[in-house]
Amino acid sequence: MSAPSMMLFHSPASPFVRKVMVLLHETGQTDRVAVHSINLSPVSPDAELNQGNPAGKIPALRLEDGSVLHDSRVICEYLDLQHVGNPLIPREGSARWRRLTLASLADAIMDAAVNTRYETFLRPEDKRWDRWIDAQLDKVRRGLASLEQEHIAELASTFDIAAIGVACALGYIDFRMPDFAWREQQPKLAAWYAQVSQRPSMQATAPSV
Ligand code: 99T
């Protein structure tokens, strides 16, 4: 086994990082990437990360030649082109746009959940804005309702970039917002999630602090 040629700026809490990690597991590429875990928030940046990704966000992937890829969508697409198995992002045709749009919905749920986390955990209590938090949580609710009502069959058809994104978004909600109680309103999504959570790739990447 050769040494990893790439380095991933990582946090075990990040659902965006988790997407990349799940894809690495699903495509048998974990040995190619060294994980560099950092403690990061919008108000405690990491100087080394900022050099490669001026947005200061994770994940970012440093390649062998020193160049850095971001964000999670670009990294997933890059890594999906690096293995010989079935692509996890369809290469062309209408399937590509359907699956990427579903993956984008998963990212939007993650963005709103992460914004909620920052607003309720990082921002000083006297500066919090309840209306803004409620609006973010509405995005999460609308996203989950849409998955339940319109996309469950598509989601369950294959474990690809769309399914990985939704699974990581749900894992993040359970991790950071354990009282959110989404399962009652979304029973089909809950059943699907219980099933995909058993995958070794999901078990190996469960979020932690
Ligand atoms: O916003 C910052 O400065 C630091 N935040 C991040 O780097 C978060 C970590 S989730 N990452 C993103 O927002 C990436 C979004 C980007 N579009 C992508 O990669 O797809 C950490 C959540 C937590 O700790 O609870």
Side-chain angles (χ1 to χ4, degrees):
M1 187 177 60
S2 54
S5 58
M6 297 176 269
M7 192 270 267
L8 182 69
F9 289 90
H10 171 279
S11 150
S14 166
F16 300 100
V17 170
R18 191 180 185 192
K19 282 195 309 182
V20 173
M21 294 303 297
V22 171
L23 186 138
L24 286 171
H25 279 271
E26 292 286 340
T27 58
Q29 298 188 81
T30 50
D31 292 346
R32 302 186 62 217
V33 177
V35 161
H36 175 52
S37 288
I38 54 176
N39 268 324
L40 182 73
S41 84
V43 290
S44 51
D46 181 276
E48 190 187 357
L49 170 67
N50 284 353
Q51 276 185 356
N53 179 5
K57 295 191 182 196
I58 50 172
L61 182 71
R62 186 183 292 156
L63 306 184
E64 198 165 17
D65 66 1
S67 61
V68 176
L69 300 184
H70 55 82
D71 60 4
S72 64
R73 287 170 276 209
V74 175
I75 297 169
C76 285
E77 181 111 32
Y78 176 80
L79 292 171
D80 196 41
L81 290 168
Q82 305 280 315
H83 66 101
V84 291
N86 285 336
L88 296 189
I89 303 174
R91 301 278 195 262
E92 58 192 9
S94 61
R96 175 171 171 82
W97 308 116
R98 279 205 315 276
R99 300 312 283 187
L100 285 178
T101 300
L102 208 45
S104 163
L105 176 58
D107 279 358
I109 293 170
M110 285 182 226
D111 277 328
V114 169
N115 285 344
T116 303
R117 165 74 181 172
Y118 287 156
E119 185 72 14
T120 53
F121 183 75
L122 279 185
R123 195 182 292 278
E125 211 163 343
D126 61 319
K127 296 192 171 61
R128 287 180 199 156
W129 186 12
D130 286 345
R131 213 174 125 207
W132 194 85
I133 296 169
D134 289 345
Q136 295 300 315
L137 290 176
D138 280 345
K139 289 178 193 284
V140 176
R141 288 191 195 95
R142 285 198 303 271
L144 297 185
S146 164
L147 290 171
E148 175 80 6
Q149 289 156 24
E150 297 163 47
H151 299 296
I152 200 73
E154 284 182 82
L155 201 55
S157 65
T158 177
F159 197 72
D160 67 350
I161 194 66
I164 289 171
V166 173
C168 292
L170 295 173
Y172 185 73
I173 291 170
D174 283 353
F175 176 61
R176 288 299 197 202
M177 309 189 317
D179 300 329
F180 194 66
W182 58 272
R183 287 175 172 78
E184 281 170 30
Q185 298 289 322
Q186 276 86 214
K188 289 180 279 188
L189 191 60
W192 171 81
Y193 179 60
Q195 199 193 339
V196 297
S197 294
Q198 299 309 312
R199 296 180 78 90
S201 62
M202 290 293 291
Q203 298 268 319
T205 59
S208 62
V209 282

